[in-house]
């Protein structure tokens, strides 16, 4: 028997989200906010409104297996956010600035808690848990490719598109952490503006 869903899982239940998906979403958000070491299976189960038995039913490999699924979920969510921002304009400079603005707004609305969905876990588990590291690496590569595709579509050559994608992703990631620490949208908005200037200079 499942416990009463708490927090974000209440919305998931109303939307008809199944137990496994609720567990993954809750794990993704908790890892995002607290990191791998600070997030236990019991807490994930409680937040998802699920029993420990149901969590282990879906994830017999325990916390590490669940963390991989949670990172993959965060990967897709962040990729969707990037794609939405990039699709807002045919001008790549404007599109990247819009991405930064969307990230800044979302971060402020979460009260500065929901930053990059893989950063905390990636840094905490560096060199210790290969499966989690692989999932984090795949996520970052995916986001970089989302950006590179946009730049290629806008006429940049293969190598230049890759370079710009790497630069923009690194800038957005760093600016997002800084915005969290400062509790201010300014670092992300400033990074977006300067990335737009860089893109225009390379066009």
């Amino acid at each position: 028997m499942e416990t009463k869903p708490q927090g974000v899982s209440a919305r998931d239940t109303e939307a008809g989200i199944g137990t496994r998906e609720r567990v993954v979403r809750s794990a993704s958000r908790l890892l995002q906010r607290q990191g791998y070491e600070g997030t236990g299976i019991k807490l994930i189960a409680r937040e998802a409104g699920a029993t420990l038995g149901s969590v282990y039913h879906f994830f017999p490999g325990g916390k590490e297996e669940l963390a991989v699924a949670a990172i993959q979920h965060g990967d897709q969510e962040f990729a969707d956010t990037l794609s939405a921002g990039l699709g807002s304009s045919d001008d790549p400079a404007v599109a990247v600035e819009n991405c930064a603005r969307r990230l800044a707004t979302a971060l402020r609305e979460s009260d500065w808690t929901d930053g990059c969905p893989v950063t905390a876990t990636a840094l905490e588990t560096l060199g210790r848990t290969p499966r989690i590291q692989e999932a984090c690496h795949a996520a970052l590569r995916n986001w970089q490719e989302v950006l590179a595709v946009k730049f290629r579509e806008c006429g940049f050559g293969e190598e230049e598109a890759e370079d710009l994608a790497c630069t923009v992703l690194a800038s957005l990631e760093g600016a997002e952490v800084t915005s969290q620490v400062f509790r201010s949208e300014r670092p992300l908005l400033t990074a977006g503006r300067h990335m737009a200037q860089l893109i225009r200079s390379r066009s």
Side-chain angles (χ1 to χ4, degrees):
M1 179 178 178
E2 294 189 356
T3 58
K4 182 180 179 181
Q6 300 179 26
V8 298
S9 60
R11 296 197 300 271
D12 294 341
T13 301
E14 291 169 6
I17 302 300
T19 301
R20 185 186 186 282
E21 184 66 13
R22 291 205 315 271
V23 169
V24 171
R25 291 186 181 194
S26 294
S28 178
R29 187 157 285 108
L30 287 167
L31 289 173
Q32 185 177 23
R33 295 176 176 180
Q34 302 178 184
Y36 185 73
E37 297 299 336
T39 302
I41 289 285
K42 288 183 179 179
L43 177 59
I44 294 170
R46 184 167 67 248
E47 289 295 309
T51 63
L52 275 176
S54 63
V55 174
Y56 281 109
H57 168 74
F58 290 112
F59 301 98
K63 182 177 173 179
E64 183 174 330
E65 182 182 354
L66 175 52
V68 169
I71 290 164
Q72 291 168 342
H73 174 78
D75 173 4
Q76 188 58 56
E77 275 198 332
F78 195 76
D80 289 345
T81 297
L82 282 179
S83 294
L86 293 173
S88 65
S89 176
D90 292 333
D91 183 333
V94 173
V96 165
E97 193 164 3
N98 286 344
C99 278
R101 190 174 295 110
R102 282 170 179 260
L103 292 174
T105 298
L107 192 57
R108 173 176 50 77
E109 290 177 348
S110 76
D111 195 27
W112 316 105
T113 59
D114 294 342
C116 174
V118 306
T119 300
T121 302
L123 293 176
E124 252 188 326
T125 59
L126 193 63
R128 295 194 292 114
T129 48
R131 289 184 64 198
I132 293 176
Q133 285 293 296
E134 287 171 11
C136 292
H137 180 267
L140 290 168
R141 285 297 306 168
N142 183 36
W143 303 339
Q144 188 169 314
E145 181 59 18
V146 169
L147 289 160
V149 166
K150 175 67 174 183
F151 296 138
R152 288 195 293 266
E153 290 175 347
C154 292
F156 289 94
E158 186 71 30
E159 185 175 352
E160 190 163 28
E162 288 288 335
D163 286 349
L164 277 174
C166 181
T167 301
V168 169
L169 181 59
S171 297
L172 290 177
E173 287 284 299
E176 193 165 44
V177 172
T178 307
S179 283
Q180 281 187 280
V181 174
F182 288 176
R183 297 179 66 83
S184 168
E185 295 177 85
R186 185 177 180 182
L188 268 167
L189 297 179
T190 301
R193 187 168 63 252
H194 283 276
M195 287 301 98
Q197 291 172 357
L198 172 64
I199 293 166
R200 290 189 182 100
S201 73
R202 302 282 288 273
S203 299

